[in-house]
Amino acid sequence: MHAITIPEPGGPEALVWAPVPDPVPGEGEVLVEVVAGAVNRADLLQRQGFYDPPPGASPYPGLECSGRIAAIGPGVSGWAVGDEVCALLSGGGYAEKVAVPAGQLLPVPAGVGLKTAAALPEVVCTVWSNVFMVSQLRPGETLLVHGGASGIGTMAIQLAKAVGARVAVTAGSPEKLQYCGELGADFLINYREQDFVEEIREVTAGAGADVILDIMGAKYLDRNVKALATNGRLAIIGMQGGTKAELDIATLLRKRGAVTATSLRGRPASEKAAIVAAVREHVWPLIDTGRVRPIVDREVPMRDAAAGHRVLEESSHIGKVLLVTGE
């Protein structure tokens, strides 16, 4: 088979489509013939040499894919060769085949094309685990999403609205904010022109956001704490704005606030399986009925994964960028 390899860390040109050995499914795994993968920020970090795969994971980038089951490993039940699936991965999605723990498989939802399904696993599992399983967003509460037009952001808007929450988003252009509004976001904040702390206080009558989903990390830490409501929960899932910042404990104490930081890739398979099972139970029915849908900006050939990486680096996209193997 072929896969995107990274002989040396670097820019998008470091991604090389090359022949590699076929993976073999082990105990509890299935082999998926990949139809599409998706580009995530973690892939850019891996390409640059800053985010190695977990021990035992595929060395190739790619944290999600869609395709068809080509082989079943020992100890797997409930799946059959030929099933159309999408999968949460620890790596290996930028390839023509990938071995996947069966607990990280999901059926392709009704009404979603096989290629498009590659846009779902990573964002849905990230949003559901952080916003709902950890931060416990409830109906009537306010969620603030940074990067509302991203793959994560577009999914967070839809899921929060589906459970009856109010949603505020930040984005850097009128076009992106308009799209977020069309998805259901209630409050639109242009971070280039507005102070999101002031804006979120204004639209919540001074209360603040009950839950904040943050991709920026250090750069936004102080302002995120200020923007929290009493008993608010800040979920940090990215570090685009750096990794080190001072935290005003006094403000956090006064608000009885909570700060959590999670990553999905390095979790044990059992934890990933639990998240995937929760997603299948709670989110898949929403997708099956069309209340929630994957947002895909564009598709590029997988062999030209560099082009997909450039799109993310330019932040010119809305939703997800897919890498397709040729179908």
Side-chain angles (χ1 to χ4, degrees), residues 195-242:
D195 181 339
F196 72 79
V197 178
E198 294 179 0
E199 295 297 324
I200 199 69
R201 285 174 176 168
E202 180 176 344
V203 300
T204 60
D210 299 290
V211 177
I212 300 176
L213 185 63
D214 177 58
I215 59 173
M216 295 303 294
K219 183 177 180 180
Y220 278 11
L221 180 60
D222 179 64
R223 285 190 287 164
N224 276 332
V225 171
K226 290 177 180 177
L228 280 178
T230 300
N231 296 314
R233 292 85 74 194
L234 167 60
I236 301 172
I237 60 169
M239 48 188 179
Q240 294 179 39

Side-chain angles (χ1 to χ4, degrees), residues 247-265:
L247 175 62
D248 186 344
I249 300 296
T251 301
L252 198 63
L253 284 169
R254 285 196 301 271
K255 295 190 173 190
R256 301 188 296 280
V259 179
T260 60
T262 72
S263 65
L264 190 56
R265 185 182 198 182

